[in-house]
Amino acid sequence: EDQVTQSPEALRLQEGESSSLNCSYTVSGLRGLFWYRQDPGKGPEFLFTLYSAGEEKEKERLKATLTKKESFLHITAPKPEDSATYLCAAHPGSSNTGKLIFGQGTTLQVKP
Amino acid sequence: DAGVIQSPRHEVTEMGQEVTLRCKPISGHNSLFWYRQTMMRGLELLIYFNNNVPIDDSGMPEDRFSAKMPNASFSTLKIQPSEPRDSAVYFCASRSPPGQGLYGYTFGSGTRLTVV
């Protein structure tokens, strides 16, 4: 069964304290691994897509990496405005419908 | 671009009443998805349309749920009759045709449904 698991569920950081969020996936033939940011009361906002192991993408203080079993979202010197829930999702190769399998998310709180 | 537009933003209804949620996808996007988000189950796909045709409705909880997409610019998700366990945030998302990059969906702001 296709599955995506994120850890930790919640993470509290001091401003400037770098850390990483983990996304482990078990899917049949990964076609893409997606990262989203979700603020309270809003829909998920697209951040990155990774397609193959070894790929990396960066945006401001965020960097996403991908291996054959997991993805990491590295947050460097976070600021309070980075506080949000971060979701990862996998697009299985068995799915021709574009169906994404979402993890439960990691809620990040950055304190000033 | 106004993005994916959902209405209403909030809906409070009594158990047994009919509820209709609405979605306008991004112009040019040919795939539309309805998701439901709860604390317990996270984001769950309910139904997926491609070129206005329902492709995968395996996530629809039961016959009380139905979805339509009469044209490329409008979709509805209907719950009849509604029950308290249907309380959740319902998201609509759209995606561009294949070949334009396998990038992520664009989500709407969601409809928060409360059934009392």
Side-chain angles (χ1 to χ4, degrees):
Chain A
E1 180 184 355
D2 296 325
Q3 194 169 6
V4 175
T5 304
Q6 292 187 246
S7 62
E9 289 187 10
L11 182 63
R12 291 183 180 181
L13 299 174
Q14 289 295 130
E15 184 173 2
E17 179 185 3
S18 301
S19 188
S20 297
L21 281 56
N22 177 265
C23 171
S24 298
Y25 62 90
T26 306
V27 300
S28 52
L30 183 74
R31 296 182 67 193
L33 190 290
F34 300 83
W35 282 98
Y36 287 85
R37 168 187 172 133
Q38 186 173 23
D39 292 296
K42 296 187 177 181
E45 177 187 351
F46 172 73
L47 292 173
F48 305 108
T49 308
L50 302 167
Y51 296 104
S52 57
E55 188 175 1
E56 298 183 354
K57 289 193 177 175
E58 289 188 66
K59 180 180 180 181
E60 297 181 352
R61 295 176 293 281
L62 301 177
K63 183 170 79 172
T65 62
L66 182 66
T67 72
K68 290 185 178 180
K69 294 184 178 180
E70 56 193 350
S71 177
F72 293 93
L73 185 65
H74 306 278
I75 303 177
T76 302
K79 298 181 178 181
E81 53 261 42
D82 294 324
S83 299
T85 295
Y86 291 86
L87 298 164
C88 76
H91 181 189
S94 60
S95 169
N96 291 320
T97 65
K99 177 179 179 177
L100 296 185
I101 311 297
F102 278 87
Q104 291 287 81
T106 294
T107 299
L108 173 66
Q109 183 181 27
V110 182
K111 295 185 176 181
Chain B
D1 189 344
V4 176
I5 300 173
Q6 292 187 246
S7 64
R9 288 298 312 276
H10 303 275
E11 178 79 37
V12 180
T13 189
E14 292 185 348
M15 182 174 62
Q17 296 298 306
E18 177 180 298
V19 176
T20 299
L21 312 181
R22 298 172 175 80
C23 174
K24 176 179 169 56
I26 291 174
S27 177
H29 283 192
N30 71 331
S31 298
L32 184 139
F33 305 80
W34 282 100
Y35 277 85
R36 177 171 68 177
Q37 187 175 41
T38 61
M39 289 293 293
M40 290 296 295
R41 302 175 67 89
L43 270 167
E44 301 175 282
L45 178 66
L46 299 177
I47 187 168
Y48 157 62
F49 291 88
N50 190 48
N51 294 324
N52 311 337
V53 176
I55 301 300
D56 181 357
D57 65 354
S58 60
M60 296 286 262
E62 47 197 273
D63 292 345
R64 297 186 296 106
F65 286 68
S66 62
K68 295 182 179 180
M69 191 165 186
N71 56 62
S73 59
F74 185 66
S75 177
T76 60
L77 178 67
K78 185 177 294 185
I79 308 172
Q80 166 64 20
S82 59
E83 297 182 2
R85 59 191 169 122
D86 301 330
S87 298
V89 181
Y90 291 80
F91 287 105
C92 175
S94 68
R95 192 189 67 175
S96 64
Q100 297 187 17
L102 184 60
Y103 53 85
Y105 309 164
T106 301
F107 282 82
S109 297
T111 295
R112 180 174 295 277
L113 173 65
T114 303
V115 183
V116 297

mmCIF file of all heavy atoms in Angstrom, chain A residues 3-10 21-24 35-36 38 44 84-90 101-108, chain B residues 36-44:
data_model
loop_
_atom_site.group_PDB
_atom_site.id
_atom_site.type_symbol
_atom_site.label_atom_id
_atom_site.label_comp_id
_atom_site.label_asym_id
_atom_site.label_seq_id
_atom_site.Cartn_x
_atom_site.Cartn_y
_atom_site.Cartn_z
ATOM 1 N N GLN A 3 2.206 4.754 0.901
ATOM 2 C CA GLN A 3 2.145 5.432 2.189
ATOM 3 C C GLN A 3 3.210 6.520 2.280
ATOM 4 O O GLN A 3 4.313 6.367 1.759
ATOM 5 C CB GLN A 3 2.355 4.408 3.321
ATOM 6 C CG GLN A 3 1.997 4.903 4.700
ATOM 7 C CD GLN A 3 1.980 3.782 5.714
ATOM 8 O OE1 GLN A 3 2.345 2.650 5.432
ATOM 9 N NE2 GLN A 3 1.540 4.094 6.923
ATOM 10 N N VAL A 4 2.848 7.607 2.952
ATOM 11 C CA VAL A 4 3.775 8.720 3.206
ATOM 12 C C VAL A 4 3.709 9.057 4.688
ATOM 13 O O VAL A 4 2.616 9.269 5.222
ATOM 14 C CB VAL A 4 3.401 9.951 2.361
ATOM 15 C CG1 VAL A 4 4.298 11.132 2.719
ATOM 16 C CG2 VAL A 4 3.515 9.637 0.879
ATOM 17 N N THR A 5 4.872 9.105 5.336
ATOM 18 C CA THR A 5 4.942 9.374 6.772
ATOM 19 C C THR A 5 5.892 10.526 7.027
ATOM 20 O O THR A 5 7.039 10.516 6.560
ATOM 21 C CB THR A 5 5.437 8.135 7.541
ATOM 22 O OG1 THR A 5 4.575 7.030 7.248
ATOM 23 C CG2 THR A 5 5.419 8.390 9.036
ATOM 24 N N GLN A 6 5.416 11.512 7.793
ATOM 25 C CA GLN A 6 6.246 12.664 8.102
ATOM 26 C C GLN A 6 6.626 12.674 9.573
ATOM 27 O O GLN A 6 5.860 12.267 10.440
ATOM 28 C CB GLN A 6 5.513 13.962 7.763
ATOM 29 C CG GLN A 6 5.311 14.160 6.277
ATOM 30 C CD GLN A 6 4.730 15.524 5.957
ATOM 31 O OE1 GLN A 6 3.611 15.633 5.484
ATOM 32 N NE2 GLN A 6 5.507 16.576 6.220
ATOM 33 N N SER A 7 7.835 13.175 9.848
ATOM 34 C CA SER A 7 8.280 13.328 11.233
ATOM 35 C C SER A 7 9.203 14.537 11.354
ATOM 36 O O SER A 7 9.872 14.903 10.383
ATOM 37 C CB SER A 7 9.011 12.055 11.695
ATOM 38 O OG SER A 7 10.166 11.848 10.913
ATOM 39 N N PRO A 8 9.215 15.181 12.537
ATOM 40 C CA PRO A 8 8.286 14.947 13.637
ATOM 41 C C PRO A 8 6.912 15.526 13.337
ATOM 42 O O PRO A 8 6.744 16.217 12.334
ATOM 43 C CB PRO A 8 8.951 15.701 14.786
ATOM 44 C CG PRO A 8 9.635 16.850 14.103
ATOM 45 C CD PRO A 8 10.131 16.308 12.793
ATOM 46 N N GLU A 9 5.943 15.258 14.200
ATOM 47 C CA GLU A 9 4.605 15.840 14.019
ATOM 48 C C GLU A 9 4.643 17.333 14.273
ATOM 49 O O GLU A 9 3.946 18.107 13.633
ATOM 50 C CB GLU A 9 3.616 15.189 14.977
ATOM 51 C CG GLU A 9 3.268 13.767 14.621
ATOM 52 C CD GLU A 9 2.161 13.226 15.506
ATOM 53 O OE1 GLU A 9 1.544 14.017 16.252
ATOM 54 O OE2 GLU A 9 1.898 12.014 15.456
ATOM 55 N N ALA A 10 5.456 17.735 15.263
ATOM 56 C CA ALA A 10 5.573 19.147 15.610
ATOM 57 C C ALA A 10 7.030 19.453 15.932
ATOM 58 O O ALA A 10 7.765 18.592 16.427
ATOM 59 C CB ALA A 10 4.681 19.481 16.805
ATOM 60 N N LEU A 21 13.088 18.553 8.352
ATOM 61 C CA LEU A 21 11.844 17.799 8.443
ATOM 62 C C LEU A 21 11.986 16.577 7.536
ATOM 63 O O LEU A 21 12.554 16.665 6.442
ATOM 64 C CB LEU A 21 10.667 18.644 7.965
ATOM 65 C CG LEU A 21 10.075 19.695 8.890
ATOM 66 C CD1 LEU A 21 11.107 20.683 9.373
ATOM 67 C CD2 LEU A 21 8.938 20.427 8.192
ATOM 68 N N ASN A 22 11.432 15.454 8.000
ATOM 69 C CA ASN A 22 11.588 14.204 7.266
ATOM 70 C C ASN A 22 10.277 13.761 6.639
ATOM 71 O O ASN A 22 9.199 13.926 7.225
ATOM 72 C CB ASN A 22 12.103 13.110 8.196
ATOM 73 C CG ASN A 22 12.207 11.769 7.492
ATOM 74 O OD1 ASN A 22 11.293 10.953 7.556
ATOM 75 N ND2 ASN A 22 13.303 11.540 6.808
ATOM 76 N N CYS A 23 10.366 13.184 5.443
ATOM 77 C CA CYS A 23 9.213 12.601 4.761
ATOM 78 C C CYS A 23 9.648 11.243 4.210
ATOM 79 O O CYS A 23 10.458 11.188 3.279
ATOM 80 C CB CYS A 23 8.749 13.518 3.634
ATOM 81 S SG CYS A 23 7.495 12.795 2.554
ATOM 82 N N SER A 24 9.151 10.174 4.803
ATOM 83 C CA SER A 24 9.444 8.827 4.320
ATOM 84 C C SER A 24 8.292 8.338 3.456
ATOM 85 O O SER A 24 7.130 8.522 3.825
ATOM 86 C CB SER A 24 9.651 7.871 5.506
ATOM 87 O OG SER A 24 10.741 8.261 6.291
ATOM 88 N N TRP A 35 6.408 19.108 -1.952
ATOM 89 C CA TRP A 35 6.354 19.770 -0.653
ATOM 90 C C TRP A 35 5.418 20.974 -0.743
ATOM 91 O O TRP A 35 5.464 21.743 -1.715
ATOM 92 C CB TRP A 35 7.737 20.248 -0.203
ATOM 93 C CG TRP A 35 8.605 19.158 0.350
ATOM 94 C CD1 TRP A 35 9.576 18.460 -0.305
ATOM 95 C CD2 TRP A 35 8.585 18.650 1.692
ATOM 96 N NE1 TRP A 35 10.160 17.542 0.531
ATOM 97 C CE2 TRP A 35 9.572 17.643 1.778
ATOM 98 C CE3 TRP A 35 7.843 18.946 2.839
ATOM 99 C CZ2 TRP A 35 9.852 16.934 2.950
ATOM 100 C CZ3 TRP A 35 8.108 18.244 4.008
ATOM 101 C CH2 TRP A 35 9.100 17.249 4.054
ATOM 102 N N TYR A 36 4.573 21.092 0.308
ATOM 103 C CA TYR A 36 3.638 22.203 0.407
ATOM 104 C C TYR A 36 3.796 22.863 1.770
ATOM 105 O O TYR A 36 4.151 22.224 2.747
ATOM 106 C CB TYR A 36 2.183 21.729 0.285
ATOM 107 C CG TYR A 36 1.757 21.325 -1.092
ATOM 108 C CD1 TYR A 36 1.990 20.039 -1.566
ATOM 109 C CD2 TYR A 36 1.106 22.229 -1.926
ATOM 110 C CE1 TYR A 36 1.592 19.667 -2.834
ATOM 111 C CE2 TYR A 36 0.699 21.859 -3.196
ATOM 112 C CZ TYR A 36 0.947 20.587 -3.638
ATOM 113 O OH TYR A 36 0.550 20.221 -4.894
ATOM 114 N N GLN A 38 1.357 25.022 4.500
ATOM 115 C CA GLN A 38 -0.027 25.373 4.794
ATOM 116 C C GLN A 38 -0.084 26.265 6.025
ATOM 117 O O GLN A 38 0.358 25.863 7.104
ATOM 118 C CB GLN A 38 -0.899 24.128 5.001
ATOM 119 C CG GLN A 38 -2.375 24.464 5.162
ATOM 120 C CD GLN A 38 -3.261 23.240 5.209
ATOM 121 O OE1 GLN A 38 -2.825 22.142 5.536
ATOM 122 N NE2 GLN A 38 -4.533 23.411 4.863
ATOM 123 N N PRO A 44 -3.112 24.481 1.098
ATOM 124 C CA PRO A 44 -1.682 24.219 0.908
ATOM 125 C C PRO A 44 -1.121 25.027 -0.254
ATOM 126 O O PRO A 44 -1.756 25.151 -1.303
ATOM 127 C CB PRO A 44 -1.639 22.715 0.618
ATOM 128 C CG PRO A 44 -2.890 22.167 1.223
ATOM 129 C CD PRO A 44 -3.908 23.244 1.039
ATOM 130 N N ALA A 84 4.531 27.334 10.132
ATOM 131 C CA ALA A 84 3.442 26.814 9.293
ATOM 132 C C ALA A 84 3.454 25.296 9.419
ATOM 133 O O ALA A 84 4.322 24.724 10.071
ATOM 134 C CB ALA A 84 3.622 27.210 7.829
ATOM 135 N N THR A 85 2.498 24.659 8.777
ATOM 136 C CA THR A 85 2.518 23.204 8.639
ATOM 137 C C THR A 85 3.079 22.865 7.264
ATOM 138 O O THR A 85 2.646 23.425 6.261
ATOM 139 C CB THR A 85 1.113 22.608 8.800
ATOM 140 O OG1 THR A 85 0.656 22.840 10.142
ATOM 141 C CG2 THR A 85 1.130 21.099 8.542
ATOM 142 N N TYR A 86 4.047 21.970 7.237
ATOM 143 C CA TYR A 86 4.681 21.567 5.987
ATOM 144 C C TYR A 86 4.220 20.149 5.639
ATOM 145 O O TYR A 86 4.352 19.230 6.441
ATOM 146 C CB TYR A 86 6.200 21.650 6.108
ATOM 147 C CG TYR A 86 6.677 23.087 6.207
ATOM 148 C CD1 TYR A 86 6.716 23.730 7.444
ATOM 149 C CD2 TYR A 86 7.016 23.815 5.071
ATOM 150 C CE1 TYR A 86 7.113 25.066 7.545
ATOM 151 C CE2 TYR A 86 7.414 25.139 5.158
ATOM 152 C CZ TYR A 86 7.447 25.756 6.396
ATOM 153 O OH TYR A 86 7.822 27.076 6.492
ATOM 154 N N LEU A 87 3.677 20.021 4.440
ATOM 155 C CA LEU A 87 3.129 18.751 3.968
ATOM 156 C C LEU A 87 3.977 18.217 2.832
ATOM 157 O O LEU A 87 4.417 18.978 1.967
ATOM 158 C CB LEU A 87 1.703 18.949 3.450
ATOM 159 C CG LEU A 87 0.658 19.438 4.441
ATOM 160 C CD1 LEU A 87 -0.574 19.961 3.713
ATOM 161 C CD2 LEU A 87 0.255 18.307 5.377
ATOM 162 N N CYS A 88 4.206 16.916 2.840
ATOM 163 C CA CYS A 88 4.801 16.302 1.659
ATOM 164 C C CYS A 88 3.800 15.333 1.055
ATOM 165 O O CYS A 88 2.897 14.830 1.751
ATOM 166 C CB CYS A 88 6.125 15.612 1.958
ATOM 167 S SG CYS A 88 6.019 14.032 2.787
ATOM 168 N N ALA A 89 3.933 15.097 -0.228
ATOM 169 C CA ALA A 89 3.000 14.227 -0.937
ATOM 170 C C ALA A 89 3.746 13.499 -2.037
ATOM 171 O O ALA A 89 4.640 14.063 -2.673
ATOM 172 C CB ALA A 89 1.848 15.042 -1.524
ATOM 173 N N ALA A 90 3.366 12.258 -2.273
ATOM 174 C CA ALA A 90 3.995 11.434 -3.303
ATOM 175 C C ALA A 90 3.001 11.115 -4.408
ATOM 176 O O ALA A 90 1.822 10.867 -4.139
ATOM 177 C CB ALA A 90 4.533 10.150 -2.688
ATOM 178 N N ILE A 101 -0.546 11.153 -2.627
ATOM 179 C CA ILE A 101 -0.677 10.585 -1.292
ATOM 180 C C ILE A 101 0.014 11.547 -0.335
ATOM 181 O O ILE A 101 1.230 11.741 -0.418
ATOM 182 C CB ILE A 101 -0.021 9.202 -1.187
ATOM 183 C CG1 ILE A 101 -0.463 8.289 -2.340
ATOM 184 C CG2 ILE A 101 -0.328 8.572 0.176
ATOM 185 C CD1 ILE A 101 -1.933 7.986 -2.361
ATOM 186 N N PHE A 102 -0.753 12.157 0.578
ATOM 187 C CA PHE A 102 -0.218 13.152 1.489
ATOM 188 C C PHE A 102 0.201 12.530 2.820
ATOM 189 O O PHE A 102 -0.437 11.604 3.326
ATOM 190 C CB PHE A 102 -1.260 14.241 1.772
ATOM 191 C CG PHE A 102 -1.333 15.295 0.716
ATOM 192 C CD1 PHE A 102 -2.152 15.124 -0.391
ATOM 193 C CD2 PHE A 102 -0.578 16.449 0.822
ATOM 194 C CE1 PHE A 102 -2.211 16.101 -1.375
ATOM 195 C CE2 PHE A 102 -0.638 17.428 -0.158
ATOM 196 C CZ PHE A 102 -1.449 17.249 -1.261
ATOM 197 N N GLY A 103 1.270 13.086 3.409
ATOM 198 C CA GLY A 103 1.610 12.790 4.786
ATOM 199 C C GLY A 103 0.753 13.629 5.714
ATOM 200 O O GLY A 103 -0.013 14.488 5.270
ATOM 201 N N GLN A 104 0.889 13.378 7.014
ATOM 202 C CA GLN A 104 0.074 14.080 8.007
ATOM 203 C C GLN A 104 0.583 15.482 8.292
ATOM 204 O O GLN A 104 -0.124 16.283 8.897
ATOM 205 C CB GLN A 104 0.028 13.289 9.312
ATOM 206 C CG GLN A 104 -0.744 11.986 9.212
ATOM 207 C CD GLN A 104 -2.235 12.208 9.117
ATOM 208 O OE1 GLN A 104 -2.785 12.504 8.044
ATOM 209 N NE2 GLN A 104 -2.914 12.093 10.230
ATOM 210 N N GLY A 105 1.812 15.779 7.881
ATOM 211 C CA GLY A 105 2.349 17.118 8.056
ATOM 212 C C GLY A 105 3.217 17.279 9.288
ATOM 213 O O GLY A 105 3.117 16.512 10.252
ATOM 214 N N THR A 106 4.100 18.273 9.244
ATOM 215 C CA THR A 106 4.898 18.694 10.386
ATOM 216 C C THR A 106 4.569 20.153 10.664
ATOM 217 O O THR A 106 4.712 20.996 9.776
ATOM 218 C CB THR A 106 6.409 18.564 10.125
ATOM 219 O OG1 THR A 106 6.752 17.191 9.982
ATOM 220 C CG2 THR A 106 7.214 19.183 11.271
ATOM 221 N N THR A 107 4.123 20.422 11.894
ATOM 222 C CA THR A 107 3.793 21.794 12.277
ATOM 223 C C THR A 107 5.017 22.439 12.897
ATOM 224 O O THR A 107 5.518 21.991 13.939
ATOM 225 C CB THR A 107 2.619 21.814 13.263
ATOM 226 O OG1 THR A 107 1.482 21.233 12.619
ATOM 227 C CG2 THR A 107 2.284 23.248 13.660
ATOM 228 N N LEU A 108 5.512 23.459 12.235
ATOM 229 C CA LEU A 108 6.733 24.152 12.665
ATOM 230 C C LEU A 108 6.375 25.470 13.336
ATOM 231 O O LEU A 108 5.610 26.261 12.799
ATOM 232 C CB LEU A 108 7.635 24.429 11.457
ATOM 233 C CG LEU A 108 8.864 25.303 11.718
ATOM 234 C CD1 LEU A 108 9.834 24.594 12.652
ATOM 235 C CD2 LEU A 108 9.553 25.665 10.404
ATOM 236 N N ARG B 36 -10.582 16.389 1.294
ATOM 237 C CA ARG B 36 -11.137 16.690 2.604
ATOM 238 C C ARG B 36 -10.007 16.614 3.625
ATOM 239 O O ARG B 36 -9.190 15.690 3.570
ATOM 240 C CB ARG B 36 -12.237 15.688 2.961
ATOM 241 C CG ARG B 36 -12.830 15.877 4.339
ATOM 242 C CD ARG B 36 -14.053 14.999 4.539
ATOM 243 N NE ARG B 36 -13.739 13.582 4.584
ATOM 244 C CZ ARG B 36 -14.639 12.645 4.809
ATOM 245 N NH1 ARG B 36 -15.913 12.978 4.991
ATOM 246 N NH2 ARG B 36 -14.291 11.376 4.831
ATOM 247 N N GLN B 37 -9.952 17.578 4.545
ATOM 248 C CA GLN B 37 -8.899 17.604 5.542
ATOM 249 C C GLN B 37 -9.479 17.601 6.941
ATOM 250 O O GLN B 37 -10.314 18.447 7.288
ATOM 251 C CB GLN B 37 -7.991 18.830 5.366
ATOM 252 C CG GLN B 37 -6.761 18.821 6.272
ATOM 253 C CD GLN B 37 -5.829 19.997 5.983
ATOM 254 O OE1 GLN B 37 -6.270 21.115 5.766
ATOM 255 N NE2 GLN B 37 -4.522 19.729 5.966
ATOM 256 N N THR B 38 -9.038 16.649 7.753
ATOM 257 C CA THR B 38 -9.408 16.585 9.160
ATOM 258 C C THR B 38 -8.145 16.373 9.978
ATOM 259 O O THR B 38 -7.112 15.943 9.454
ATOM 260 C CB THR B 38 -10.397 15.442 9.451
ATOM 261 O OG1 THR B 38 -9.750 14.192 9.101
ATOM 262 C CG2 THR B 38 -11.670 15.578 8.654
ATOM 263 N N MET B 39 -8.241 16.653 11.264
ATOM 264 C CA MET B 39 -7.082 16.443 12.134
ATOM 265 C C MET B 39 -6.703 14.971 12.181
ATOM 266 O O MET B 39 -5.534 14.614 12.200
ATOM 267 C CB MET B 39 -7.393 16.956 13.535
ATOM 268 C CG MET B 39 -7.461 18.463 13.636
ATOM 269 S SD MET B 39 -5.869 19.237 13.365
ATOM 270 C CE MET B 39 -4.983 18.659 14.814
ATOM 271 N N MET B 40 -7.727 14.113 12.210
ATOM 272 C CA MET B 40 -7.470 12.684 12.378
ATOM 273 C C MET B 40 -6.891 12.038 11.125
ATOM 274 O O MET B 40 -5.995 11.192 11.203
ATOM 275 C CB MET B 40 -8.766 11.971 12.768
ATOM 276 C CG MET B 40 -9.250 12.304 14.159
ATOM 277 S SD MET B 40 -8.098 11.739 15.424
ATOM 278 C CE MET B 40 -8.199 9.966 15.188
ATOM 279 N N ARG B 41 -7.400 12.422 9.962
ATOM 280 C CA ARG B 41 -7.067 11.698 8.734
ATOM 281 C C ARG B 41 -6.230 12.509 7.752
ATOM 282 O O ARG B 41 -5.836 11.981 6.701
ATOM 283 C CB ARG B 41 -8.346 11.202 8.069
ATOM 284 C CG ARG B 41 -9.178 10.292 8.962
ATOM 285 C CD ARG B 41 -10.504 9.945 8.282
ATOM 286 N NE ARG B 41 -10.303 9.112 7.113
ATOM 287 C CZ ARG B 41 -10.270 7.788 7.131
ATOM 288 N NH1 ARG B 41 -10.440 7.142 8.274
ATOM 289 N NH2 ARG B 41 -10.097 7.106 6.017
ATOM 290 N N GLY B 42 -5.974 13.769 8.075
ATOM 291 C CA GLY B 42 -5.185 14.590 7.165
ATOM 292 C C GLY B 42 -5.948 14.886 5.881
ATOM 293 O O GLY B 42 -7.177 14.966 5.868
ATOM 294 N N LEU B 43 -5.193 15.023 4.784
ATOM 295 C CA LEU B 43 -5.784 15.315 3.473
ATOM 296 C C LEU B 43 -6.134 14.012 2.765
ATOM 297 O O LEU B 43 -5.275 13.171 2.526
ATOM 298 C CB LEU B 43 -4.800 16.099 2.610
ATOM 299 C CG LEU B 43 -4.849 17.608 2.710
ATOM 300 C CD1 LEU B 43 -3.624 18.216 2.053
ATOM 301 C CD2 LEU B 43 -6.109 18.156 2.065
ATOM 302 N N GLU B 44 -7.417 13.882 2.406
ATOM 303 C CA GLU B 44 -7.880 12.695 1.709
ATOM 304 C C GLU B 44 -8.499 13.091 0.381
ATOM 305 O O GLU B 44 -9.345 13.995 0.326
ATOM 306 C CB GLU B 44 -8.969 11.979 2.515
ATOM 307 C CG GLU B 44 -8.580 11.513 3.893
ATOM 308 C CD GLU B 44 -9.789 10.938 4.596
ATOM 309 O OE1 GLU B 44 -10.627 11.724 5.084
ATOM 310 O OE2 GLU B 44 -9.909 9.699 4.656
#
